[in-house]
Amino acid sequence: MNILFIEDDPMNRRVVKDMLDVAGATMAEAGLAEEGLARIEYEEFDVVLMDLRMPGMDGIEAIRHIRARTDEKANLPVIVVTADTGADLRERCLDAGADDVLFKPVAMDALFDSIGRVLAIRGGGGMIL
């Protein structure tokens, strides 16, 4: 399984990478939404993990860019991983096209459950964690 984590904080990327390593998944990284969108253009991923607050384009706008694509990558599973809170945050993420929302700090079992659930719903190939 190949996962892209779009997150500006290198420590957060490291923590999630260590979790995914346990499951044998590979993780590509992007520190900015624009960088992540460029990687999606030229690489194949099974799932995208997306932070919301980043310099430049935010995660919700990046999700909208993914969903606006005219190819099969428009259906790429996207899971928001955020420290943001707010009464309507989950709803705003789902309305933008996110498949699930996880709140930091993310527990390994919650991450694996979310990835498995999203892939099962989307009918994605690859192993389910």
Side-chain angles (χ1 to χ4, degrees), residues 31-125:
L32 299 171
E34 296 87 352
E35 178 187 355
L37 293 174
R39 291 196 77 163
I40 290 168
E41 183 69 28
Y42 298 105
E43 299 175 54
E44 295 297 322
F45 298 102
D46 299 298
V47 176
V48 173
L49 303 176
M50 178 81 67
D51 186 27
L52 291 182
R53 283 195 205 193
M54 294 175 279
M57 182 186 302
D58 70 17
I60 288 181
E61 186 177 350
I63 294 167
R64 288 186 179 129
H65 277 271
I66 293 168
R67 297 297 179 237
R69 294 179 63 99
T70 58
D71 60 10
E72 70 281 350
K73 291 182 180 182
N75 295 314
L76 189 61
V78 177
I79 300 169
V80 170
V81 179
T82 185
D84 289 357
T85 59
D88 68 337
L89 178 66
R90 182 174 180 76
E91 184 178 321
R92 286 188 310 120
C93 292
L94 296 176
D95 286 347
D99 293 283
D100 199 4
V101 180
L102 298 174
F103 296 95
K104 296 174 187 171
V106 175
M108 188 181 317
D109 60 342
L111 178 63
F112 292 176
D113 287 349
S114 179
I115 292 170
R117 190 173 47 253
V118 166
L119 287 176
I121 291 168
R122 286 241 179 224

Side-chain angles (χ1 to χ4, degrees), residues 3-45:
I3 297 172
L4 174 63
F5 191 15
I6 304 173
E7 158 73 64
D8 62 322
D9 186 313
M11 183 58 74
N12 288 337
R13 291 195 310 261
R14 178 60 191 216
V15 168
V16 170
K17 181 176 184 342
D18 288 347
M19 290 182 199
L20 294 172
D21 284 348
V22 168
T26 59
M27 188 186 94
E29 302 177 22
L32 299 171
E34 296 87 352
E35 178 187 355
L37 293 174
R39 291 196 77 163
I40 290 168
E41 183 69 28
Y42 298 105
E43 299 175 54
E44 295 297 322
F45 298 102

